Amino acid sequence: MDLFLTFALVGFFAQLADSALGMGFGVISASVLLAQGVPPPLVSASVNAAKVPTGIVAGISHALNGNIDKALFLRLALAGAAGGIVGALILGELKRPVLTVIIGSYLLLIGGLILWRGLSGRAPRLLATGRVSALGATGGLIEGIGGSWGPVVTSGLIGAGHEPRRAIGSSALAELVVSLTVFLVLMAGYHLGRWGTGRDLHEVLLPVAGLVAGGVPAALVGGRLAAIAPRRPLTVAVGLLAIGIGLQRLASLL
């Protein structure tokens, strides 16, 4: 029960940040599970499983608060699902330290850009349609490998000048599609014996249940927070969170 309550608290605060700022749940949850020695494929499957119910609630909350750009959502979801399939299939084949350096460096760069633009009030040009799809595919790929959709996609959209609340809402709803896709691919791999870890899914049932129990109520209010927060403070908050996650990623290599 202590383990369940611990993960419920982790899930609540991680999902609150994720719903309001567009990132946090995957990175925080995965970091806690990895610290317990859970194998990466099982971590990715567990986090993406928890993201499905929390993502449904978060998507409804964002939709009710007018945070969804339908065209942006569709481009991100379709490209992200394709990238997620590739990421889930190659999970475990890549050298994780190299990937961690790339993601961490990207987050520091884009986080610094978002922070500067939030403080200066500059509004850069939006990403072209093709580049939005490329961003979605990249986010899906990394989501399949290590559960970092939000930091890559949401920060990329805001860094390119999309309205923060619509970037957060559209990215969150697209992440639901990507998470479900990645989970199904990983489960198929598990049943085909591709993981080869000797670890059982039952080991993470309690942590996943805790993440969901804590994440769902936070998802209910996160969409409203994203809708009512002033643009510049919200942009600055996203930039600071992206920088913090980037530093955490790089520090994990030490």
Side-chain angles (χ1 to χ4, degrees):
M1 184 57 68
D2 288 343
L3 184 64
F4 175 84
L5 292 176
T6 297
F7 274 91
L9 287 173
V10 170
F12 178 82
F13 289 107
Q15 183 60 45
L16 190 63
D18 200 287
S19 294
L21 301 178
M23 64 188 81
F25 186 84
V27 172
I28 295 171
S29 303
S31 298
V32 174
L33 288 170
L34 286 170
Q36 292 189 330
V38 179
L42 190 51
V43 169
S44 185
S46 302
V47 172
N48 280 288
K51 281 184 177 182
V52 173
T54 58
I56 291 173
V57 176
I60 293 173
S61 178
H62 281 297
L64 291 175
N65 286 283
N67 298 336
I68 307 294
D69 180 322
K70 293 181 180 178
L72 181 60
F73 155 70
L74 287 174
R75 292 199 297 271
L76 289 174
L78 292 174
I85 292 172
V86 175
L89 290 174
I90 65 176
L91 176 60
E93 303 298 326
L94 295 179
K95 295 181 178 178
R96 187 163 293 271
V98 175
L99 184 66
T100 299
V101 170
I102 293 174
I103 296 174
S105 300
Y106 166 83
L107 291 176
L108 290 179
L109 176 63
I110 197 69
L113 179 64
I114 292 171
L115 182 61
W116 175 71
R117 285 174 173 170
L119 293 173
S120 65
R122 294 191 58 178
R125 291 181 300 173
L126 302 181
L127 285 172
T129 300
R131 292 186 179 180
V132 168
S133 297
L135 181 64
T138 301
L141 177 70
I142 296 174
E143 176 69 24
I145 295 171
S148 294
W149 168 273
V152 173
V153 177
T154 306
S155 61
L157 291 173
I158 295 176
H162 283 268
E163 184 181 2
R165 72 185 188 95
R166 294 192 181 276
I168 291 169
S170 303
S171 175
L173 189 57
E175 185 178 15
L176 169 61
V177 177
V178 177
S179 295
L180 181 58
T181 301
V182 170
F183 174 71
L184 292 176
V185 172
L186 287 172
M187 284 299 94
Y190 172 77
H191 288 294
L192 291 172
R194 290 190 67 246
W195 291 8
T197 62
R199 303 292 289 272
D200 191 82
L201 288 173
H202 292 89
E203 297 180 41
V204 292
L205 285 180
L206 199 60
V208 169
L211 291 173
V212 172
V216 166
L220 286 171
V221 299
R224 183 58 184 164
L225 291 177
I228 64 175
R231 177 171 182 147
R232 288 183 67 178
L234 187 60
T235 301
V236 170
V238 171
L240 289 173
L241 184 57
I243 292 173
I245 293 174
L247 291 172
Q248 182 272 333
R249 287 276 185 174
L250 295 174
S252 69
L253 296 174
L254 301 178

